[in-house]
Amino acid sequence: MGEPTYVLGTVPPYSSGQNATIPQIGAAPYRYFQGADLAWMMMSSALVLLMVPGIALFYSGVSKSRFALSQAWLPIMSTAIVGLEWYLWGYSIAFSNSPSSRVFWGSTDGIALHNVLFRPVRSSGDLQTEGPVIPELVYALFQGMFACFTASLVSGAAICKDRPGHFLVFILLWTTFVYNPIARWTWNPEGWSNSMGALDFAGGTAVHICAGATVLAHSVYHRCLPKVEAFLERILGGPRSPAGPPTTNSNGVSADQTLVAAHSRVADQPGQEPSHNVENVLLGTLLLWIGWFGFNGGSALGANLRAVSACVSTHLSACAGGVTLCILQLLPGSVAPGRARDRTGDGSVFMWSIVEFCNGAVVGLICITPAAGYVPHQISPVFGIIGALICSHVTSISVKLGDTHGIIVYHGVGGLIGMFLTGCFARKNVAHLDGFTNIKGGGWDGHWVTLGWQIADALAGMGWAFTITLVILLLLEPFMYLSRDKRARYPIEHGGKLTDEWTIQEAVEMSEVPSRRTLPR
């Protein structure tokens, strides 16, 4: 029996097979760019930006109330810093292509978005093939939102560790030397990973593995920080002290003693203590979920059927991840370490965990990110289920390393799972849903070499992010050491205003010593 025949109205065709110079495109852009593609890409850019307040609310909600303000503010401020960096030199490093550009580093062609306007961009990276294109300025906007969101993810590493000003300096250098090179080899046609055939649709390596490895390096570094400070004391002199006497609280306890006691406390760890504001966690997750449609769907770089498939896969994976992790909490402890019981301790009564559902949904979104435009939507729930099962059993890694938001596990491990499964289930017919993208497929299509490149790309991204992050922290430490005081001498913020002179833990102690006054510098 033959295929059914449908009566359809014809769609006005796009212009194809035409040669045009940049001035010719600029004179009549409507002849070369489809309005639907432009509208979808601009909407997708806005949806990705919506994920920044989503992650701010999520971080704020899972933190203790005394850390909530800083955890809501740092992602927003990181976005502003990285937005300027992307405009000035970030896009040039990641995506400029000229005779002077390199595999890991771009040229000066796109600095301050110079000459970034009409040049056509296609998701396949091959402008010699037929198909619709978008102008480069729209592409620069969309990719800039990715850089901002990745930086906002990394901001979760600063809790109890970095002063706000110190972290913002770090994130500026980190975006330049860590994120931009990884984005270049992932999405730029000249990047080694892209050229070899690795498949990373929307940032499994460039966003999630990169963020997870960065937080891992940050956590390891701060565990070794006392040794680094001891070395700097021998080189640069003893610990700096304020130019005035330390103040004491009403019980006669000095600020130094108070701060020492603060460092011995156990921070809020994932799964150990309840989140202070579950409503913020839920709202943040919903904003992330909505924004992820632009994150993955927009990576098709056009309003086409591939974008639709990516959105459906994204939604199904998030649903499967949330339900799986929620159900795991109802199983015996040997199956799910985080079994939830009621407040009375009655083992026969269980509670549905809102936070665990949110964590599971986010894990599902992370795992499907590199695969959304490559795998059939029928298989996408597998990504959420496998991701939730594995991540729920390795959260102890984040706990031991002081990763209070679980970024190492949920984003780092989740990204690794997504890259691996993409190599197994990628289909060339799914990638071709946009009408012009051609790939060799993954293991399902009998092309198992893709799986090897997936693993190589993921490990390379993890190694680069981990190593360069440690180098940046080590290079910054002498300057931070000279500006840092061993005494918690600065008052906490007033009226919702933050200062640049305290760590988050110092701010906590300021709130517990109301009689504290500012000491002269």
Side-chain angles (χ1 to χ4, degrees):
M1 186 173 180
E3 289 290 331
T5 302
Y6 302 95
V7 178
L8 301 172
T10 59
V11 178
Y14 57 82
S15 299
S16 63
Q18 298 186 14
N19 296 323
T21 63
I22 296 299
Q24 289 173 332
I25 296 175
Y30 58 87
R31 296 182 57 188
Y32 305 96
F33 305 120
Q34 295 192 65
D37 291 337
L38 297 182
W40 171 241
M41 292 308 300
M42 293 169 65
M43 182 183 297
S44 295
S45 301
L47 288 172
V48 177
L49 183 60
L50 183 67
M51 296 168 70
V52 174
I55 204 67
L57 285 170
F58 190 95
Y59 283 173
S60 172
V62 298
S63 303
K64 290 184 178 180
S65 58
R66 58 193 184 187
F67 302 142
L69 177 61
S70 61
Q71 284 300 283
W73 178 80
L74 273 179
I76 307 299
M77 192 62 186
S78 297
T79 296
I81 296 293
V82 173
L84 293 174
E85 184 271 347
W86 189 255
Y87 159 73
L88 291 173
W89 62 78
Y91 180 79
S92 177
I93 294 172
F95 291 102
S96 64
N97 291 322
S98 70
S100 61
S101 62
R102 299 292 183 268
V103 174
F104 288 93
W105 202 266
S107 64
T108 59
D109 187 44
I111 287 182
L113 298 183
H114 179 65
N115 288 332
V116 177
L117 185 58
F118 293 116
R119 281 185 293 197
V121 176
R122 181 175 289 122
S123 62
S124 65
D126 183 10
L127 291 176
Q128 302 306 314
T129 61
E130 191 174 302
V133 293
I134 61 172
E136 189 177 13
L137 186 61
V138 175
Y139 184 68
L141 172 66
F142 180 67
Q143 287 292 347
M145 297 300 103
F146 272 59
C148 292
F149 175 68
T150 309
S152 70
L153 286 180
V154 175
S155 68
I159 185 170
C160 292
K161 299 182 181 76
D162 291 344
R163 293 182 181 181
H166 292 173
F167 175 79
L168 294 177
V169 173
F170 162 79
I171 204 65
L172 178 64
L173 296 174
W174 177 87
T175 307
T176 302
F177 295 104
V178 176
Y179 177 81
N180 292 340
I182 296 179
R184 182 175 183 83
W185 84 51
T186 300
W187 292 308
N188 193 305
E190 294 185 358
W192 69 265
S193 174
N194 197 339
S195 302
M196 292 298 180
L199 305 177
D200 190 354
F201 187 65
T205 294
V207 176
H208 299 296
I209 294 176
C210 179
T214 297
V215 176
L216 174 62
H218 197 273
S219 298
V220 170
Y221 176 79
H222 277 274
R223 289 174 71 90
C224 301
L225 187 57
K227 296 180 180 179
V228 177
E229 288 185 332
F231 173 78
L232 291 176
E233 286 181 10
R234 292 195 297 269
I235 301 298
L236 302 177
R240 294 167 61 83
S241 59
T247 59
T248 59
N249 60 15
S250 58
N251 297 323
V253 180
S254 70
D256 297 302
Q257 293 172 315
T258 306
L259 183 57
V260 170
H263 288 307
S264 63
R265 295 180 181 178
V266 179
D268 186 14
Q269 304 291 356
Q272 285 193 339
E273 296 186 28
S275 303
H276 99 276
N277 193 323
V278 178
E279 291 83 358
N280 275 4
V281 177
L282 184 59
L283 179 58
T285 301
L286 292 176
L287 290 178
L288 288 171
W289 199 327
I290 294 170
W292 230 287
F293 284 96
F295 196 79
N296 288 351
S299 294
L301 301 188
N304 50 56
L305 192 55
R306 191 183 185 195
V308 176
S309 177
C311 289
V312 173
S313 295
T314 299
H315 183 62
L316 293 177
S317 181
C319 293
V323 172
T324 300
L325 198 54
C326 212
I327 291 177
L328 281 176
Q329 301 307 302
L330 306 182
L331 299 178
S334 59
V335 178
R339 181 185 182 184
R341 299 184 179 182
D342 70 338
R343 294 182 183 276
T344 64
D346 184 357
S348 63
V349 180
F350 301 97
M351 296 188 301
W352 291 96
S353 173
I354 297 174
V355 174
E356 290 304 326
F357 173 82
C358 293
N359 286 334
V362 171
V363 168
L365 293 168
I366 292 167
C367 290
I368 199 62
T369 293
Y374 295 117
V375 301
H377 58 270
Q378 294 90 345
I379 203 71
S380 59
V382 174
F383 285 71
I385 293 171
I386 294 178
L389 286 172
I390 295 177
C391 289
S392 67
H393 285 80
V394 295
T395 53
S396 59
I397 297 175
S398 288
V399 173
K400 292 177 181 178
L401 291 172
D403 173 23
T404 58
H405 298 327
I407 303 170
I408 297 172
V409 169
Y410 297 137
H411 291 274
V413 176
L416 287 170
I417 295 169
M419 290 294 288
F420 180 85
L421 294 178
T422 301
C424 296
F425 296 112
R427 300 297 305 273
K428 52 188 175 184
N429 64 315
V430 175
H432 195 67
L433 286 175
D434 59 6
F436 57 86
T437 298
N438 296 303
I439 64 171
K440 296 180 180 179
W444 198 344
D445 284 331
H447 196 258
W448 288 101
V449 175
T450 300
L451 180 58
W453 286 117
Q454 295 295 106
I455 297 173
D457 178 69
L459 295 179
M462 183 169 59
W464 179 270
F466 184 87
T467 303
I468 303 303
T469 297
L470 285 179
V471 170
I472 293 173
L473 290 170
L474 286 170
L475 292 177
L476 286 178
E477 184 56 35
F479 301 98
M480 295 183 177
Y481 172 81
L482 292 174
S483 66
R484 182 168 55 228
D485 198 304
K486 295 295 183 180
R487 289 186 176 132
R489 54 178 178 154
Y490 301 102
I492 196 170
E493 79 284 354
H494 294 283
K497 296 181 180 179
L498 301 174
T499 73
D500 189 35
E501 307 298 338
W502 43 267
T503 65
I504 297 172
Q505 191 64 59
E506 288 173 342
V508 173
E509 299 313 316
M510 295 305 98
S511 67
E512 295 177 355
V513 187
S515 61
R516 223 137 155 85
R517 61 180 178 83
T518 303
L519 299 178
R521 304 195 64 156

